[in-house]
Amino acid sequence: MKIAIISGSGRNNSNSLKLGQYIASRYQSEAITIDLIDLNQHSILLHHYEPLSVNV
């Protein structure tokens, strides 16, 4: 069986990532393959979360 866990936070060392890591460690076995995907590592996907620059 293969499971993917996605941490959807754009922040470094987020609680979402910590929870994903905990779940992955809890269910690791020879019968289960777990992929943990941290969207923070793919910042191009989360560019809309960056603060807007305001010209005043």
Side-chain angles (χ1 to χ4, degrees):
M1 177 185 300
K2 190 168 189 172
I3 298 173
I5 300 171
I6 300 171
S7 170
S9 178
R11 296 186 177 115
N12 288 328
N13 203 23
S14 69
N15 285 333
S16 298
L17 178 59
K18 290 176 187 175
L19 179 60
Q21 291 168 333
Y22 172 76
I23 293 170
S25 69
R26 191 84 170 119
Y27 292 100
Q28 264 184 330
S29 73
E30 292 180 17
I32 300 174
T33 302
I34 299 175
D35 290 329
L36 178 59
I37 301 166
D38 180 12
L39 291 184
N40 182 50
Q41 300 298 315
H42 306 281
S43 60
I44 189 100
L45 301 174
L46 298 173
H47 69 278
H48 59 279
Y49 285 113
E50 295 175 5
L52 297 174
S53 60
V54 178
N55 295 328
V56 180

